[in-house]
Amino acid sequence: MLPYGRQSIAESDIEAVAEVLRGDWLTTGPAVGRFEAELARWTGGVPCVSVTSGTAALHVAYVAAEVRAGDEVVTSPLTFVATAAAAALLGARVVFADVQPDTGNLDPDAVAALVTPRTRVVTAVDYAGHPADYDELRAVADQAGAVLMADSAHSIGAAYKDRPVGALADLTTFSFFPTKTVTTAEGGAVAAADPERFRRAARFRNHGLVREPAEQRDPDVGGWHQEVHEFGLNYRLPDVLCALGVSQLRRLERFRERRSELVARYNALLRGVPGLTLPAQRAYVRPSWHLYPVRVRDGRRREVYERMRAAGIGVQVNYLPAYWHPVFEDLGYRRGLCPRAEAYYAEELSLPLFPDLTDAQQDRVAETLAAVLR
């Protein structure tokens, strides 16, 4: 089965991990700082806190934004459920706003119609690696007095109007799952320009521990002393995985370029295939394509999915609208809430896309898909 996504591991990655295994640090050591510094090179210098997963990054970012019970978080339903679940776990009411019909990204006008005095955070999702419309979303968030957050699990290395992802929102989260552009096996990060939000994020990922004597309530106990002022969790990304991340980040531009080449080839190979809509791209955006999401029209998505899988091509569907999950249905959310997101989901099919995909494999995908549709 040709997968829809997979990691790209080189000997340099293996050697980077082996070097840590031969050293003194496996958990929080020097590789963590190197990884966070290397990541900040891609966020325009915005400092980053590494964590154990993209989901952990969302949880940490919502804590850094001081989301509490009774707050509202406006976000897209066209995302993996964690974008909404992490806010709900903090007691927030998740408000789902509809998406743009071509990109699948959060529609700023839909957000503007839904913000209230209780809106604490507006969370955009860079669907498929195409950045959302951040200038318009910033205007909406600022008018509402809300924090603007970017779920950029798909879009590391992308840019919007010549500004890098990581520097577009107040808080940005990344994921380093194996199918993503850069991997640490499991892992994530939060970028935060505001020093106080960065401090909250860094503390929360380490149990909330306060080690700086100047900030402790009882600083004269001894050099071993540490305190917890607010609860946190252990979301620390270990040295061995950060070493892999540093090695991967040094190849990020090559990964991004190869994905862009493959997207251009798909566009050429599939242009004109009946019953198929190809992904959109704004002129002012440089995507970092994580997915190649086509739209299969005429109600044939399931048929095409099953026939492609039967042919050994691992297509995928991204995503079930978040509020369709039973956990949200049980909270009172109903289908029909975001018609454009639901229409997008009903047709969406992700084709294989990863840097090691060969031209011959891609030709096979395109030829098989065209044959099925014709």
Side-chain angles (χ1 to χ4, degrees):
M1 177 72 73
L2 181 66
Y4 91 96
R6 74 181 308 274
Q7 67 273 17
S8 297
I9 300 297
E11 285 301 316
S12 56
D13 298 324
I14 296 168
E15 181 53 39
V17 171
E19 184 178 348
V20 170
L21 291 173
R22 296 186 192 105
D24 295 328
W25 298 88
L26 289 181
T27 55
T28 306
V32 175
R34 288 198 298 271
F35 177 61
E36 292 172 346
E38 188 72 21
L39 185 56
R41 291 182 57 240
W42 290 95
T43 63
V46 176
C48 300
V49 175
S50 60
V51 293
T52 51
S53 68
T55 301
L58 289 161
H59 191 189
V60 169
Y62 286 131
V63 168
E66 299 184 277
V67 171
R68 296 186 174 91
D71 289 338
E72 293 178 351
V73 172
V74 182
T75 192
S76 166
L78 198 62
T79 181
F80 184 62
V81 67
T83 311
L89 284 167
L90 291 169
R93 176 176 175 264
V94 181
V95 178
F96 292 103
D98 216 341
V99 302
Q100 298 166 333
D102 56 347
T103 65
N105 280 332
L106 193 62
D107 183 347
D109 290 336
V111 175
L114 292 171
V115 294
T116 75
R118 291 184 170 227
T119 303
R120 182 63 189 165
V121 177
V122 173
T123 303
V125 176
D126 296 338
Y127 183 79
H130 186 295
D133 279 316
Y134 283 99
D135 285 352
E136 291 83 355
L137 290 168
R138 167 64 71 190
V140 174
D142 285 353
Q143 187 170 5
V147 174
L148 180 60
M149 184 165 141
D151 180 345
S152 298
H154 292 183
S155 61
I156 186 170
Y160 166 84
K161 298 183 180 179
D162 297 322
R163 308 196 310 269
V165 163
L168 302 171
D170 299 311
L171 292 158
T172 304
T173 66
F174 297 105
S175 169
F176 307 119
F177 189 72
T179 58
K180 300 302 195 300
T181 303
V182 165
T183 187
T184 58
E186 290 277 7
V190 179
D194 177 75
E196 181 57 24
R197 292 192 184 113
F198 179 84
R199 183 195 66 80
R200 282 197 294 269
R203 281 193 179 164
F204 186 78
R205 65 97 183 256
N206 189 29
H207 301 284
L209 291 172
V210 178
R211 288 175 168 153
E212 303 85 350
E215 298 184 37
Q216 291 175 343
R217 295 184 187 177
D218 197 7
D220 298 323
V221 174
W224 66 87
H225 184 62
Q226 52 192 356
E227 301 173 350
V228 173
H229 296 180
E230 295 179 274
F231 291 124
L233 296 169
N234 178 1
Y235 279 152
R236 300 188 304 265
L237 190 64
D239 249 40
V240 65
L241 299 186
C242 284
L244 174 59
V246 171
S247 181
Q248 288 265 304
L249 282 170
R250 289 172 179 167
R251 305 208 314 283
L252 172 53
E253 188 57 35
R254 275 179 282 165
F255 290 156
R256 198 201 66 78
E257 287 175 357
R258 177 56 179 161
R259 286 174 177 269
S260 182
E261 289 171 4
L262 289 166
V263 166
R265 288 193 87 246
Y266 268 137
N267 288 343
L269 291 166
L270 297 172
R271 189 172 292 117
V273 173
L276 200 65
T277 301
L278 304 186
Q281 179 179 338
R282 300 279 189 261
Y284 46 83
V285 163
R286 187 189 74 168
S288 185
W289 292 107
H290 163 57
L291 302 174
Y292 187 79
V294 298
R295 305 271 295 275
V296 180
R297 301 193 298 270
D298 305 320
R300 297 187 63 192
R301 196 266 308 275
R302 181 168 180 174
E303 173 205 347
V304 174
Y305 172 90
E306 291 174 349
R307 290 178 65 180
M308 293 289 283
R309 286 252 168 176
I313 297 172
V315 292
Q316 186 56 278
V317 172
N318 304 96
Y319 297 93
L320 182 75
Y323 57 82
W324 282 22
H325 287 281
V327 68
F328 280 105
E329 288 185 342
D330 292 348
L331 291 172
Y333 294 81
R334 294 291 177 260
R335 299 189 181 199
L337 193 60
C338 298
R340 293 194 298 270
E342 294 180 19
Y344 195 106
Y345 162 71
E347 296 181 340
E348 197 277 339
L349 192 73
S350 298
L351 304 187
L353 183 68
F354 50 92
D356 294 337
L357 185 71
T358 67
D359 289 358
Q361 289 172 325
Q362 187 181 34
D363 290 343
R364 177 185 158 218
V365 174
E367 289 165 6
T368 305
L369 179 59
V372 169
L373 284 168
R374 284 175 176 142

